[in-house]
Amino acid sequence: MNPLAVVTGGTKGIGKALIERFLAGGFDVITCARNSSELDALYEEMKSSFPSSELYYLQADLSVRKELDGFIDFVKSKNRFTEVLINNTGVFFPGQISNETEGTFEKTMETNVYSAYHLTRGFINEMMEQKKGHIFTLCSTASIMAYPNGGSYCISKFALYGMTKVLRAEMKPYNVKVTAVLPGATYTDSWKGSDLPEERFMDVSDIAESVWAAYSLSPRAVMEEILIRPQLGDLD
Protein backbone atom coordinates (compact mmCIF):
# COMPACT_ATOMS: atom_id res chain seq x y z
CA MET A 1 0.00 0.00 0.00
CA ASN A 2 1.23 3.48 -0.84
CA PRO A 3 2.09 5.87 1.99
CA LEU A 4 -0.46 8.65 2.58
CA ALA A 5 -0.04 12.43 2.42
CA VAL A 6 -2.69 15.00 3.37
CA VAL A 7 -2.39 18.28 1.48
CA THR A 8 -4.92 21.02 2.16
CA GLY A 9 -5.95 23.58 -0.45
CA GLY A 10 -4.95 21.36 -3.33
CA THR A 11 -6.77 22.56 -6.44
CA LYS A 12 -4.33 25.22 -7.60
CA GLY A 13 -0.94 26.84 -7.12
CA ILE A 14 1.50 25.39 -4.62
CA GLY A 15 -1.05 22.92 -3.27
CA LYS A 16 -1.64 21.35 -6.66
CA ALA A 17 2.10 21.18 -7.35
CA LEU A 18 2.61 19.42 -4.01
CA ILE A 19 -0.07 16.88 -4.82
CA GLU A 20 1.52 16.17 -8.20
CA ARG A 21 4.95 15.72 -6.61
CA PHE A 22 3.79 13.33 -3.91
CA LEU A 23 1.64 11.30 -6.30
CA ALA A 24 4.67 11.05 -8.59
CA GLY A 25 6.69 9.90 -5.59
CA GLY A 26 4.36 6.96 -4.99
CA PHE A 27 2.05 8.45 -2.38
CA ASP A 28 -1.71 8.39 -2.16
CA VAL A 29 -3.03 11.86 -1.33
CA ILE A 30 -6.08 13.28 0.42
CA THR A 31 -6.95 16.91 -0.23
CA CYS A 32 -9.71 19.46 0.22
CA ALA A 33 -10.79 22.81 -1.17
CA ARG A 34 -13.86 25.04 -1.15
CA ASN A 35 -14.78 24.59 -4.81
CA SER A 36 -16.27 21.19 -5.67
CA SER A 37 -15.98 21.53 -9.46
CA GLU A 38 -12.28 22.34 -9.16
CA LEU A 39 -11.84 19.27 -6.97
CA ASP A 40 -13.61 17.10 -9.54
CA ALA A 41 -11.35 18.47 -12.29
CA LEU A 42 -8.24 17.90 -10.18
CA TYR A 43 -9.26 14.30 -9.54
CA GLU A 44 -9.75 13.55 -13.23
CA GLU A 45 -6.41 15.15 -14.13
CA MET A 46 -4.48 13.30 -11.43
CA LYS A 47 -6.18 9.96 -12.15
CA SER A 48 -5.03 10.22 -15.75
CA SER A 49 -1.48 11.32 -14.90
CA PHE A 50 -0.81 9.00 -11.93
CA PRO A 51 -2.77 5.75 -12.36
CA SER A 52 -0.71 3.93 -9.70
CA SER A 53 -1.71 6.36 -6.95
CA GLU A 54 -5.04 7.42 -5.47
CA LEU A 55 -6.36 10.92 -4.87
CA TYR A 56 -9.19 11.32 -2.37
CA TYR A 57 -10.92 14.63 -1.82
CA LEU A 58 -13.62 16.41 0.14
CA GLN A 59 -15.16 19.82 -0.33
CA ALA A 60 -14.46 21.78 2.84
CA ASP A 61 -13.84 25.33 3.98
CA LEU A 62 -11.21 24.91 6.68
CA SER A 63 -11.92 28.34 8.15
CA VAL A 64 -15.19 26.80 9.43
CA ARG A 65 -14.50 24.54 12.40
CA LYS A 66 -17.34 22.11 11.65
CA GLU A 67 -16.07 21.57 8.11
CA LEU A 68 -12.49 21.24 9.33
CA ASP A 69 -13.54 18.55 11.80
CA GLY A 70 -15.44 16.86 8.97
CA PHE A 71 -12.28 16.77 6.88
CA ILE A 72 -10.32 15.19 9.75
CA ASP A 73 -13.05 12.55 10.09
CA PHE A 74 -12.93 11.96 6.31
CA VAL A 75 -9.18 11.31 6.44
CA LYS A 76 -9.49 9.03 9.45
CA SER A 77 -12.29 7.07 7.78
CA LYS A 78 -9.66 5.68 5.41
CA ASN A 79 -7.98 3.89 8.34
CA ARG A 80 -4.56 4.88 7.05
CA PHE A 81 -1.59 6.42 8.83
CA THR A 82 -0.86 9.97 7.68
CA GLU A 83 2.82 9.89 6.80
CA VAL A 84 2.92 13.54 5.69
CA LEU A 85 0.65 16.46 6.58
CA ILE A 86 1.03 19.65 4.55
CA ASN A 87 -0.85 22.65 5.92
CA ASN A 88 -1.23 24.69 2.74
CA THR A 89 -4.66 26.31 3.01
CA GLY A 90 -4.38 30.08 3.01
CA VAL A 91 -5.98 33.35 2.04
CA PHE A 92 -4.60 36.82 1.31
CA PHE A 93 -6.47 40.11 1.54
CA PRO A 94 -4.27 43.16 0.86
CA GLY A 95 -4.61 46.02 3.28
CA GLN A 96 -3.26 47.68 6.38
CA ILE A 97 -4.21 47.31 10.04
CA SER A 98 -5.54 50.87 9.97
CA ASN A 99 -7.86 50.41 7.00
CA GLU A 100 -8.68 46.72 6.52
CA THR A 101 -12.35 45.84 6.15
CA GLU A 102 -13.93 44.75 9.42
CA GLY A 103 -13.65 40.97 9.74
CA THR A 104 -10.51 40.62 7.61
CA PHE A 105 -8.37 39.76 10.61
CA GLU A 106 -10.75 37.09 11.87
CA LYS A 107 -11.20 35.43 8.47
CA THR A 108 -7.47 35.49 7.77
CA MET A 109 -6.57 33.97 11.13
CA GLU A 110 -9.29 31.32 10.89
CA THR A 111 -8.11 30.27 7.43
CA ASN A 112 -4.36 30.58 7.75
CA VAL A 113 -3.69 29.77 11.41
CA TYR A 114 -6.63 28.04 13.07
CA SER A 115 -6.90 25.49 10.25
CA ALA A 116 -3.25 24.49 10.56
CA TYR A 117 -3.44 24.35 14.37
CA HIS A 118 -6.53 22.17 14.52
CA LEU A 119 -5.53 19.90 11.63
CA THR A 120 -2.16 19.32 13.24
CA ARG A 121 -3.87 18.40 16.49
CA GLY A 122 -6.07 16.02 14.55
CA PHE A 123 -3.15 13.90 13.36
CA ILE A 124 -0.27 14.56 15.70
CA ASN A 125 -1.13 12.04 18.42
CA GLU A 126 -0.95 9.09 16.02
CA MET A 127 2.39 10.36 14.71
CA MET A 128 3.66 10.61 18.29
CA GLU A 129 2.49 7.08 19.07
CA GLN A 130 4.16 5.63 15.98
CA LYS A 131 7.22 7.89 16.35
CA LYS A 132 7.21 8.92 12.71
CA GLY A 133 5.61 11.40 10.34
CA HIS A 134 6.41 14.79 8.84
CA ILE A 135 4.40 18.01 9.15
CA PHE A 136 5.00 20.85 6.70
CA THR A 137 3.38 24.25 7.17
CA LEU A 138 3.30 26.81 4.36
CA CYS A 139 4.45 30.03 5.94
CA SER A 140 5.91 32.86 3.83
CA THR A 141 8.72 35.36 3.66
CA ALA A 142 5.98 37.51 5.22
CA SER A 143 6.56 35.36 8.33
CA ILE A 144 9.91 37.08 8.88
CA MET A 145 9.58 40.40 7.07
CA ALA A 146 6.60 42.72 7.44
CA TYR A 147 5.48 44.87 4.55
CA PRO A 148 3.06 47.84 4.53
CA ASN A 149 0.18 46.26 2.59
CA GLY A 150 0.40 42.92 4.39
CA GLY A 151 -1.88 43.68 7.33
CA SER A 152 -3.59 40.62 8.73
CA TYR A 153 -1.81 38.36 6.28
CA CYS A 154 1.59 39.18 7.76
CA ILE A 155 0.22 38.76 11.27
CA SER A 156 -1.13 35.31 10.39
CA LYS A 157 2.11 34.20 8.76
CA PHE A 158 4.19 35.35 11.73
CA ALA A 159 1.84 33.27 13.91
CA LEU A 160 2.19 30.21 11.67
CA TYR A 161 5.97 30.46 11.78
CA GLY A 162 5.88 30.69 15.57
CA MET A 163 3.52 27.71 15.78
CA THR A 164 5.88 25.66 13.63
CA LYS A 165 8.85 26.50 15.87
CA VAL A 166 6.89 25.48 18.97
CA LEU A 167 5.77 22.24 17.32
CA ARG A 168 9.33 21.43 16.26
CA ALA A 169 10.51 21.76 19.86
CA GLU A 170 7.66 19.59 21.13
CA MET A 171 8.13 16.81 18.57
CA LYS A 172 11.87 16.21 18.93
CA PRO A 173 11.45 13.36 21.47
CA TYR A 174 8.88 11.64 19.26
CA ASN A 175 10.88 11.53 16.03
CA VAL A 176 8.17 13.51 14.23
CA LYS A 177 9.67 15.95 11.74
CA VAL A 178 8.39 19.53 11.49
CA THR A 179 9.28 21.93 8.68
CA ALA A 180 8.29 25.54 8.04
CA VAL A 181 8.21 26.48 4.35
CA LEU A 182 8.81 30.18 3.68
CA PRO A 183 8.38 30.94 -0.04
CA GLY A 184 8.83 34.34 -1.57
CA ALA A 185 6.90 35.47 -4.65
CA THR A 186 5.60 32.38 -6.45
CA TYR A 187 3.64 32.47 -9.69
CA THR A 188 0.12 31.45 -8.68
CA ASP A 189 -3.36 32.60 -9.67
CA SER A 190 -3.16 35.54 -7.28
CA TRP A 191 -0.31 37.02 -9.34
CA LYS A 192 -1.68 36.30 -12.81
CA GLY A 193 -2.72 39.47 -14.55
CA SER A 194 -0.11 41.57 -12.79
CA ASP A 195 2.27 43.78 -14.77
CA LEU A 196 5.30 41.77 -13.64
CA PRO A 197 6.77 39.15 -15.99
CA GLU A 198 6.31 35.51 -15.03
CA GLU A 199 10.10 35.11 -15.07
CA ARG A 200 10.30 37.38 -12.02
CA PHE A 201 8.57 34.73 -9.90
CA MET A 202 9.42 31.25 -8.71
CA ASP A 203 7.50 28.38 -10.21
CA VAL A 204 5.20 26.34 -7.97
CA SER A 205 7.26 23.27 -8.84
CA ASP A 206 10.25 24.90 -7.11
CA ILE A 207 8.34 24.84 -3.84
CA ALA A 208 7.07 21.30 -4.36
CA GLU A 209 10.53 19.96 -5.16
CA SER A 210 11.97 21.67 -2.08
CA VAL A 211 9.34 20.07 0.14
CA TRP A 212 9.96 16.68 -1.44
CA ALA A 213 13.70 17.05 -0.90
CA ALA A 214 13.14 17.87 2.77
CA TYR A 215 10.88 14.85 3.15
CA SER A 216 13.50 12.63 1.50
CA LEU A 217 16.24 13.25 4.07
CA SER A 218 17.34 10.38 6.28
CA PRO A 219 15.57 9.84 9.63
CA ARG A 220 18.59 11.40 11.34
CA ALA A 221 18.06 14.83 9.77
CA VAL A 222 15.28 17.38 9.51
CA MET A 223 15.14 20.56 7.48
CA GLU A 224 13.60 22.86 10.06
CA GLU A 225 12.77 25.56 7.56
CA ILE A 226 12.90 26.16 3.83
CA LEU A 227 13.47 29.81 2.93
CA ILE A 228 13.24 30.18 -0.84
CA ARG A 229 13.12 33.37 -2.88
CA PRO A 230 13.22 34.35 -6.55
CA GLN A 231 16.78 34.55 -7.86
CA LEU A 232 16.44 38.34 -8.28
CA GLY A 233 15.17 38.69 -4.72
CA ASP A 234 11.91 39.81 -3.18
CA LEU A 235 9.47 41.92 -5.15
CA ASP A 236 9.51 45.59 -4.25
Side-chain angles (χ1 to χ4, degrees), residues 73-203:
D73 291 341
F74 177 73
V75 175
K76 291 187 173 181
S77 72
K78 305 300 179 186
N79 295 313
R80 307 264 299 273
F81 175 69
T82 300
E83 181 79 26
V84 175
L85 170 63
I86 304 180
N87 290 308
N88 173 67
T89 292
V91 68
F92 169 68
F93 302 109
Q96 300 184 0
I97 294 172
S98 60
N99 60 23
E100 288 178 330
T101 302
E102 186 66 31
T104 295
F105 176 76
E106 289 80 2
K107 189 65 174 179
T108 302
M109 294 296 287
E110 287 163 356
T111 306
N112 295 0
V113 183
Y114 294 0
S115 68
Y117 175 84
H118 291 299
L119 274 175
T120 297
R121 282 168 55 87
F123 301 109
I124 196 68
N125 286 327
E126 188 177 5
M127 291 181 176
M128 293 165 68
E129 289 169 5
Q130 298 206 23
K131 292 190 177 295
K132 63 178 182 177
H134 200 148
I135 298 173
F136 292 89
T137 297
L138 268 294
C139 300
S140 168
T141 51
S143 298
I144 56 174
M145 180 183 67
Y147 58 93
N149 209 37
S152 291
Y153 178 78
C154 281
I155 296 171
S156 72
K157 292 298 184 177
F158 267 85
L160 269 182
Y161 187 42
M163 185 190 82
T164 304
K165 284 181 171 291
V166 172
L167 188 65
R168 163 67 176 140
E170 292 177 351
M171 289 301 106
K172 286 178 182 178
Y174 299 98
N175 203 39
V176 177
K177 296 187 179 186
V178 179
T179 301
V181 186
L182 294 83
T186 308
Y187 197 69
T188 61
D189 284 356
S190 60
W191 285 104
K192 290 177 181 176
S194 74
D195 295 333
L196 294 167
E198 184 175 345
E199 294 75 21
R200 187 62 181 83
F201 299 83
M202 293 182 293
D203 191 86

Side-chain angles (χ1 to χ4, degrees), residues 19-50:
I19 288 174
E20 290 176 321
R21 187 62 188 86
F22 275 82
L23 289 173
F27 272 73
D28 292 338
V29 175
I30 301 179
T31 192
C32 63
R34 289 173 292 186
N35 188 301
S36 60
S37 62
E38 290 180 356
L39 283 165
D40 292 339
L42 176 72
Y43 173 78
E44 293 300 327
E45 181 182 348
M46 296 301 112
K47 181 174 69 172
S48 173
S49 300
F50 306 102

Side-chain angles (χ1 to χ4, degrees), residues 53-72:
S53 297
E54 286 287 341
L55 176 66
Y56 306 95
Y57 63 93
L58 181 73
Q59 180 186 10
D61 181 348
L62 298 189
S63 70
V64 179
R65 182 62 189 275
K66 183 177 180 180
E67 295 189 30
L68 184 149
D69 289 340
F71 180 63
I72 293 174

